[in-house]
Amino acid sequence: MRLFTGLYPILYVVLASSIIGFGTSCTHAPKELETALNFEPAYSLFVSKEGVNNFLFVDSTWEHLASIKPPHAGFNREFIQRNGFIYSVNPENDYLIQYQITSTGLQAVDSIKVVNDNIEQYHWKNNSDTLLISNVVHGDIETCRFYEIDTKTFSLIREAQLPIPPAVHDFSILSLGLVRYENDKLWIAYAYSKMLGHNEYTTLDTMYYRTLDFASLRVLSEQKDPRSTYPGGINTIQTYSGTAENGDFYFTSGPGIAAGNNIEQPSAIFRKKNGSDEVDTTYMVNISAQTGNHAYGFWYVGNGKAMVRGERSDKYTDFSNHHAVYQFEYYLADLASGKLQKLDLPLDKGTRKENVVQVGANLYLAIDDEKENHTVWQYNLESGKITTHLTPKFPIDYQLRLDKLK
């Protein structure tokens, strides 16, 4: 379910029209921005100040920064980036635009018409240049659209409707949480929600998985999983899954107030073993049992470890201020033992953010703390050392995304 776009929560009403200490800080001085993008960008920060969004591009040394405005006013943090290109749907005309990062900013290269102004899921087929995207077309009957795109020629290979049931009983709001290609099959995780009132909803207490033949989209198998609800989430906003070195696929559920809103169910980590069409029902890491809270965000970081971003329910009042209070903690999860280790980082704000990138043994986390510092922190997986790495000298309320560009 799309609970908000951009920064501020807007409940989508379908029926209504709707560890480890800090160590010694590197004490990097706040970085001044250069007047032009006259370097090769290696990272991008997508930031917001009073609802106005900007890109901050950073070079590979983290020493040079330049600010670039998005290509239009409706451009938000729900984009896909790969190999120097950025893909984003223009909400005014529902075209998926391919942009190239140039010295003068994002230059539109090509476009493809899609249905709806959103992408709920994207996946790079076999880590190739073939982009798979899918979304839910909301209406009296929910339908799922699927697009296969060659990004080299930026041409549409295929558009189709996915065979996903539109409702279960009176739960008629469909959410696509995960879409993944493997061995000529398309595996999909999804959930159903319903409105309880004008501005309140809940999600059915079951996760659904379907395996489709990729060529025909014929249903090969279906699995129901009652251990939690709301598998994955909109991955143009935040990452909820990752693949281990042995090919095992891990993902999280999000039944918390800002996602599935079935808070009696646990946020948890699940596994689909390499080569299997079904989720392993013997494996589950119960995040809520260990933290007492729900979680949003999961980044696999190698060697059986993952980063998890969890809320603090004692900090927020309700959904209305969930995004605005400093409450989010970061945990390193050991996927073999199931143990979570809390990292000694400042409390973060912003309900869902794509703010973790990895370069070798270093993790970089973009955090907006209660001292109004908007800092990229560095955490070394080998030494456990945590240091401040970059604080841009630029007006920021939220660091909504941190991306490694190449």
Side-chain angles (χ1 to χ4, degrees):
M1 180 183 292
R2 306 186 65 78
L3 298 182
F4 54 84
T5 59
L7 176 59
Y8 301 103
I10 302 173
L11 186 62
Y12 180 68
V13 183
V14 173
L15 302 179
S17 11
S18 206
I19 222 167
I20 296 168
F22 287 140
T24 302
S25 170
C26 288
T27 61
H28 287 192
K31 288 290 191 298
E32 297 278 359
L33 269 67
E34 299 180 11
T35 57
L37 183 57
N38 54 12
F39 55 84
E40 182 74 17
Y43 306 93
S44 72
L45 270 167
F46 192 71
V47 303
S48 178
K49 178 68 175 180
E50 296 177 352
V52 178
N53 299 326
N54 278 283
F55 279 99
L56 302 184
F57 289 112
V58 188
D59 77 332
S60 60
T61 68
W62 296 85
E63 291 296 326
H64 300 281
L65 291 80
S67 169
I68 295 293
K69 291 185 179 301
H72 57 82
F75 190 100
N76 62 35
R77 46 97 175 265
E78 296 185 50
F79 59 82
I80 303 164
Q81 68 81 24
R82 185 181 175 91
N83 295 334
F85 290 93
I86 285 177
Y87 305 88
S88 172
V89 177
N90 188 326
E92 293 186 359
N93 55 27
D94 293 351
Y95 273 88
L96 176 68
I97 313 296
Q98 181 189 50
Y99 297 96
Q100 188 166 18
I101 301 172
T102 71
S103 60
T104 57
L106 270 61
Q107 300 297 321
V109 178
D110 212 335
S111 64
I112 292 175
K113 181 73 172 179
V114 296
V115 179
N116 268 14
D117 63 349
N118 66 276
I119 297 171
E120 293 206 16
Q121 291 298 311
Y122 75 91
H123 178 75
W124 294 98
K125 180 184 176 185
N126 287 340
N127 199 29
S128 69
D129 295 310
T130 300
L131 175 63
L132 309 179
I133 64 174
S134 54
N135 60 23
V136 175
V137 182
H138 297 289
D140 292 337
I141 297 178
E142 309 275 80
T143 58
C144 301
R145 302 302 296 175
F146 169 76
Y147 304 84
E148 184 179 3
I149 298 168
D150 181 345
T151 59
K152 280 292 189 184
T153 61
F154 209 62
S155 57
L156 184 63
I157 299 172
R158 176 169 52 152
E159 177 185 357
Q161 182 168 317
L162 294 178
I164 303 296
V168 172
H169 305 302
D170 60 339
F171 287 80
S172 59
I173 304 172
L174 175 63
S175 300
L176 296 179
L178 299 159
V179 174
R180 187 169 186 261
Y181 172 88
E182 185 181 31
N183 299 327
D184 294 321
K185 299 174 184 177
L186 199 64
W187 181 81
I188 304 168
Y190 53 100
Y192 296 94
S193 303
K194 70 175 178 179
M195 302 306 301
L196 298 176
H198 180 69
N199 59 358
E200 188 178 0
Y201 69 97
T202 191
T203 301
L204 186 65
D205 59 356
T206 302
M207 300 183 292
Y208 292 84
Y209 317 124
R210 273 197 174 188
T211 302
L212 313 179
D213 175 74
F214 183 73
S216 66
L217 299 182
R218 177 173 56 90
V219 178
L220 300 177
S221 65
E222 180 180 270
Q223 183 182 8
K224 299 177 183 180
D225 192 343
R227 293 176 295 170
S228 185
T229 190
Y230 203 87
I234 299 169
N235 71 343
T236 52
I237 296 179
Q238 191 172 53
T239 296
Y240 301 90
S241 65
T243 303
E245 291 84 347
N246 66 357
D248 288 352
F249 179 69
Y250 293 86
F251 64 94
T252 52
S253 62
I257 189 173
N261 198 32
N262 187 336
I263 61 175
E264 299 305 315
Q265 297 274 67
S267 291
I269 303 169
F270 301 91
R271 177 178 67 190
K272 188 168 80 73
K273 288 186 175 181
N274 186 16
S276 174
D277 290 345
E278 295 202 342
V279 172
D280 180 2
T281 57
T282 68
Y283 179 90
M284 174 178 169
V285 177
N286 191 322
I287 298 169
S288 298
Q290 294 188 54
T291 68
N293 287 286
H294 287 288
Y296 314 87
F298 173 94
W299 296 266
Y300 185 76
V301 297
N303 297 317
K305 303 291 195 301
M307 186 67 68
V308 174
R309 188 173 187 262
E311 71 179 14
R312 285 274 302 273
S313 58
D314 60 316
K315 297 288 185 180
Y316 67 87
T317 305
D318 53 30
F319 181 63
S320 67
N321 72 340
H322 191 271
H323 68 291
V325 300
Y326 302 96
Q327 60 155 316
F328 288 96
E329 301 176 326
Y330 292 85
Y331 296 85
L332 189 67
D334 185 312
L335 299 176
S337 69
K339 300 299 183 182
L340 301 179
Q341 177 186 12
K342 183 177 171 300
L343 300 186
D344 197 358
L345 288 161
L347 291 176
D348 194 9
K349 70 173 179 177
T351 295
R352 293 182 287 185
K353 304 195 316 191
E354 182 58 25
N355 65 329
V356 178
V357 300
Q358 181 174 11
V359 182
N362 288 321
L363 300 183
Y364 299 98
L365 301 92
I367 292 176
D368 306 302
D369 69 34
E370 57 191 340
K371 294 182 180 178
E372 290 300 324
N373 295 315
H374 306 280
T375 298
V376 177
W377 291 79
Q378 183 187 77
Y379 169 57
N380 186 275
L381 288 163
E382 295 173 352
S383 68
K385 186 177 181 181
I386 299 176
T387 54
T388 58
H389 192 69
L390 173 71
T391 304
K393 196 171 183 180
F394 190 80
I396 297 172
D397 286 330
Y398 291 84
Q399 298 173 106
L400 296 172
R401 285 186 67 137
L402 173 63
D403 288 280
K404 188 175 184 296
L405 297 178
K406 302 228 177 168

